[in-house]
Amino acid sequence: MAQSEGGQTIVVSNRGPVTFSRGESDEREHARGAGGLVTALNAVLRRAENAVWIASAQSEEDVVVSREPAPYEVEDLRVRLVEHDPESYDLMYNELANPLLWFVQHGLYDLPYSPNLGDETRRAWEEGYVTVNRNFADAVVETVAGDSSPTVLLHDYQLYMTPLFIRERLGGDAFLSLFVHIPWPEPDLWRVLPGYIREGVLESLLSADVVAFHTNRYARAFAETAADTLGAEVEAGVIRYKGRDVWVRAYPISIDPKEFEDLAHSEAVLGQEDFVKGLPGKLLLRVDRTDLSKNIVRGFVAYGRMLERHPEMKGQVTFLAQLQPSRTDVPEYAAYMEAVGRTAEEVNQKHGTDSWRPIELFMEDNFPRSVAAYKNFDVLLVNAVRDGMNLVAKESAVINEKSGVLVLSENAGAHEELGEHALTVNPYDVDGQAEAIHAALTMPQEERERRSRALREEVRSNTIEDWVEAQMRDIAAYREQHG
Ligand code: F6P
């Protein structure tokens, strides 16, 4: 399928596909962004001629680029970077989007004690979140310059207010979608937010044409929340509000298997394999950002419990935790990194010996080592409290060479597709996780092979290209039905 019908295609996300810097002799350099979302949006861009990707300027040189004529062409991309006032951006990212919206949508608050909302919340909303979202809307309107029916594909919870601001300026012919890449909570949890956010976000999302999620469960929860918050009418994947139809859809995001097959043979990855293969015993692996939603602390506690209950496993397994530091300016994240380090140390002190460290913990960005570990794990632990999808489970499935077993949280989006072939865990149940880790480590070879083959086939049956295709088909169908 070529470009969706209508005018220009614009992709908008907070984090962009490239970051610019100055090299040693002061020339402009750029680095391609890594991570699942960037790969996925690149796949969207490949489908649409002359598409422009709008994102926040993050580095000093990004700001310089943002002040030059746009779009800026780099490699095969056309990007427009948006400069935000640093204080507004800080309020949006570090006070509103990441602690508040992220915590509510992942169910991370200890509700009897937090959050403590008040005037500061309103300031972070008005001076941070809303301001940054207006900047994005301005950038979209400038980019489409007079095209009255562009296709604008907005991504994620940093941009919830942008659809409304664009709709106000471009009117009804523009096609707008917003893809929520994180879980959508049940309506009662959404009620933790103050009314002006709770209703403001819903009003804005319902000014889009399609609101998309990774799973049916989140799509259902969103429709229920729209009915609960705004009294919207909901029927079979359509929300009717203020005379408009909004489609609510699930498109499970995936990966490009070829990208990971190529990476698996790259020099950087091969260079890390000796280390990974040299770890004593079977390899239990986790690869995550240091995010509270990933449930890293409980994972270590569960592993410690497994060693207590099954002392014969001591020395027979090493838990490699490859953790990429994330959002370190948010106090809850900084505290969590400390808790992760402390808990690993406790398990190592209690169970380790002179020749065996039960947990090998790395809190650093080392993607080649993670990919080397994807190839070699016996068990992969994904025990997230809640997770939009979890691409680690998919990336590793296509290149693992050990018939590795997946221990998977029932609250990870990936569970809707992969749960049947994994060992399912309740993320709050540490004993259950301890037993699942043990069962996975001791599973008969034949069953391991059967499950890992099924996982690989499942991932291959829905790749990133299928993800894009399904959305493009719906955009065309929506346009056809709604003129
Ligand atoms: O999945 C949600 C998300 O915000 C992605 O958009 C992003 O790749 C990831 O989390 C990392 O978040 P951040 O951009 O805050 O580092």
Side-chain angles (χ1 to χ4, degrees), residues 13-15 34-38 58 89 93 98 102 106 155-158 181-182 214 289 291 324-327 387-388:
S13 65
N14 179 46
R15 219 173 259 282
L37 184 60
V38 168
Q58 305 270 354
Y89 188 82
Y93 188 84
N98 287 321
W102 182 275
H106 288 83
H155 287 269
D156 235 347
Y157 62 100
Q158 300 93 348
H181 290 270
I182 64 177
H214 291 313
R289 286 184 301 105
D291 198 299
Q324 183 194 355
S326 185
R327 304 175 187 167
D387 203 339

Side-chain angles (χ1 to χ4, degrees), residues 201-364:
V201 167
L202 263 293
E203 285 277 352
S204 177
L205 292 179
L206 296 188
S207 68
D209 300 298
V210 173
V211 183
F213 299 88
H214 291 313
T215 70
N216 292 311
R217 179 168 156 192
Y218 308 149
R220 270 196 310 272
F222 176 74
E224 282 167 21
T225 308
D228 182 68
T229 310
L230 298 180
E233 210 183 297
V234 177
E235 201 190 313
V238 180
I239 301 179
R240 274 196 196 90
Y241 186 63
K242 293 192 172 167
R244 297 185 60 255
D245 278 1
V246 183
W247 287 6
V248 184
R249 292 286 183 273
Y251 309 103
I253 199 168
S254 192
I255 59 151
D256 174 2
K258 170 119 187 2
E259 181 192 344
F260 280 86
E261 283 154 10
D262 292 348
L263 264 173
H265 297 107
S266 67
E267 255 177 56
V269 170
L270 295 175
Q272 291 291 334
E273 274 204 84
D274 283 350
F275 168 79
V276 171
K277 287 181 171 168
L279 294 171
K282 292 201 168 171
L283 182 62
L284 168 63
L285 175 69
R286 78 172 307 140
V287 176
D288 284 303
R289 286 184 301 105
T290 51
D291 198 299
L292 294 85
S293 66
K294 304 293 181 181
N295 212 13
I296 301 163
V297 169
R298 274 203 199 88
F300 288 159
V301 172
Y303 174 64
R305 254 182 225 190
M306 188 280 291
L307 294 172
E308 268 161 39
R309 291 165 166 223
H310 304 280
E312 73 285 359
M313 296 305 288
K314 291 189 184 185
Q316 303 300 312
V317 52
T318 299
F319 190 168
L320 172 62
Q322 284 284 133
L323 306 179
Q324 183 194 355
S326 185
R327 304 175 187 167
T328 46
D329 289 338
V330 178
E332 288 90 339
Y333 280 74
Y336 194 64
M337 277 177 82
E338 279 180 33
V340 164
R342 214 172 34 243
T343 313
E345 192 48 39
E346 280 163 18
V347 173
N348 283 344
Q349 290 281 347
K350 186 162 181 194
H351 299 287
T353 62
D354 288 346
S355 58
W356 174 63
R357 196 165 34 220
I359 299 177
E360 292 286 352
L361 169 62
F362 293 94
M363 287 202 261
E364 63 187 26

Side-chain angles (χ1 to χ4, degrees), residues 6 12 15 77 93 135 152 186 226 297 359 447 473:
V12 194
R15 219 173 259 282
L77 293 166
Y93 188 84
N135 293 345
V152 185
E186 48 284 8
V297 169
I359 299 177
E447 188 179 348
R473 262 199 312 269

Side-chain angles (χ1 to χ4, degrees), residues 360-391:
E360 292 286 352
L361 169 62
F362 293 94
M363 287 202 261
E364 63 187 26
D365 197 356
N366 189 339
F367 188 54
R369 184 183 284 163
S370 298
V371 177
Y374 283 177
K375 292 167 76 178
N376 289 288
F377 70 80
D378 295 285
V379 178
L380 177 72
L381 179 62
V382 177
N383 64 329
V385 170
R386 293 188 193 195
D387 203 339
M389 170 53 76
N390 195 282
L391 287 178

